Amino acid sequence: MTTRLRRSELAVPASSEKMIRKAAASDADLVFLDLEDAVAPADKEKARELAIRLLNELDWGQRVRAVRVNDAQSPWAHDDVIEVITRAGQNLDVLILPKIKAPRDVWFFETLVDQLETKLGLTRRIGFEILIEEAEALGRVEELAGCSPRLEALILGFGDLAASLGFRYGHVDDPAQAYPGDPWHHARARLVAAARSHGLEAIDGPYPLIGDTDGYRTQAIWASTLGATGKWAIHPSQIDPANDVFSPTEQEVTIARHMCAAQESSAGAAAAQGALVDAATTRLFGAVLDRAKLIEERTR
């Protein structure tokens, strides 16, 4: 599986050339042009044309280039995949698949992309990220995580999942009736475990209160603590907090290097900085160093 940096995934309506151009020059690790919820039905085909043109025209630097297509049950999904890949496949890294309920939904897209890559002679495999935003998907998330070799990440889609689960107050609780704790803890933990068990990234979903940077950061920290490696940004102001939270600090990198060095110099378990260092500990700290290296390569 291709390893990509996904600390921040910036959502951009595919119908706005101004916003797409701004996103292509942003600090987001991944930018996805949204053909689904951000575009009205009457504008779907026009937005698709704009997305294709700007994927080909703009300098995207080292950002991951993605498109969120319409869901498999919609009348636009088929043409989204065929048109975007046929005309801009060489400048596309990832497709984001919404409203997934079962493996068959993923296989629909997988079959199309398999055929297109072969027909067009594309040499770089296009990856998938799937949105877990339906009750059916959350109930089968472990199965979904292993259903396609194209999968690179699972994303927790709060808005639609809140509706599908019947959350009384939607994604953000009424402060007067706040749930005692994080109502998304179970979904987050289950998605992270499913993703990790299949070598996938776990991405936390959007935070709708654009002006509440502290709230966004708090949610990102909670997700990161559970093992998520990135979060959606629905506004450029959310990019920096995401990049910051999902990057190891200098202190974390220093400690990780020290711990790994202590283990390498020992025949078995060792003690360093008052803590036990063994193979399991090194595995944890080794992941920190791997992530730091990926970030360094991205920011050169």
Side-chain angles (χ1 to χ4, degrees):
M1 184 188 74
T2 303
T3 301
R4 311 185 199 271
L5 199 57
R6 291 177 164 92
R7 297 169 300 175
S8 51
E9 295 203 351
L10 180 61
V12 186
S15 55
S16 172
E17 181 167 354
K18 179 181 178 180
M19 294 177 72
I20 294 173
R21 289 185 177 277
K22 185 175 180 180
S26 73
D27 289 328
D29 290 336
L30 179 150
V31 174
F32 72 89
L33 310 186
D34 190 4
L35 295 173
E36 197 216 10
D37 285 350
V39 179
D43 297 327
K44 295 284 190 184
E45 294 184 6
K46 183 178 178 181
R48 186 194 301 142
E49 290 296 316
L50 180 61
I52 291 168
R53 177 166 66 83
L54 294 184
L55 280 171
N56 290 331
E57 288 183 3
L58 296 182
D59 179 2
W60 293 89
Q62 296 186 60
R63 293 163 200 83
V64 179
R65 302 156 297 181
V67 170
R68 175 162 71 159
V69 295
N70 286 279
D71 72 90
Q73 308 305 316
S74 77
W76 304 286
H78 179 269
D79 287 345
D80 283 348
V81 175
I82 291 177
E83 291 296 318
V84 170
I85 293 180
T86 298
R87 297 164 57 192
Q90 72 278 11
N91 294 314
L92 179 69
D93 300 306
V94 169
L95 287 181
I96 297 179
L97 312 181
K99 307 295 189 297
I100 296 299
K101 293 184 178 181
R104 64 180 176 81
D105 297 324
V106 179
W107 298 336
F108 165 79
F109 290 105
E110 182 181 64
T111 299
L112 281 179
V113 176
D114 283 350
Q115 292 178 348
L116 286 165
E117 284 185 345
T118 299
K119 176 182 178 181
L120 300 170
L122 298 179
T123 56
R124 288 187 309 104
R125 169 174 281 201
I126 295 168
F128 288 170
E129 297 183 11
I130 64 173
L131 276 154
I132 304 301
E133 56 182 345
E134 299 290 336
E136 296 94 328
L138 185 61
R140 303 176 69 175
V141 65
E142 292 85 3
E143 180 184 4
L144 286 168
C147 76
S148 171
R150 289 189 182 273
L151 285 184
E152 297 182 6
L154 304 180
I155 307 163
L156 191 58
F158 293 118
D160 281 297
L161 186 54
S164 183
L165 292 173
F167 270 38
R168 187 169 183 178
Y169 296 110
H171 174 16
V172 179
D173 286 344
D174 179 344
Q177 302 290 334
Y179 185 83
D182 176 14
W184 292 107
H185 176 78
H186 168 74
R188 279 181 166 133
R190 187 169 180 184
L191 181 140
V192 168
R196 293 303 197 181
S197 68
H198 290 278
L200 310 180
E201 301 285 334
I203 307 300
D204 206 46
Y207 185 74
L209 304 180
I210 294 172
D212 183 10
T213 303
D214 290 341
Y216 180 91
R217 180 178 289 273
T218 296
Q219 294 285 321
I221 290 171
W222 289 356
S224 176
T225 300
L226 292 175
T229 53
K231 185 171 177 64
W232 267 17
I234 60 173
H235 188 270
S237 65
Q238 296 177 336
I239 295 172
D240 286 345
N243 287 349
D244 181 45
V245 169
F246 292 100
S247 297
T249 65
E250 290 184 14
Q251 182 180 15
E252 287 172 327
V253 173
T254 299
I255 292 173
R257 285 175 178 155
H258 186 78
M259 293 295 194
C260 289
Q263 170 64 15
E264 289 174 2
S265 64
S266 171
Q273 297 189 349
L276 176 68
V277 182
D278 57 12
T281 311
T282 304
R283 180 181 177 188
L284 176 64
F285 287 113
V288 173
L289 297 182
D290 290 343
R291 189 158 183 78
K293 181 179 179 181
L294 193 62
I295 293 170
E296 181 182 1
E297 293 172 350
R298 161 71 173 80
T299 54
R300 281 176 184 169

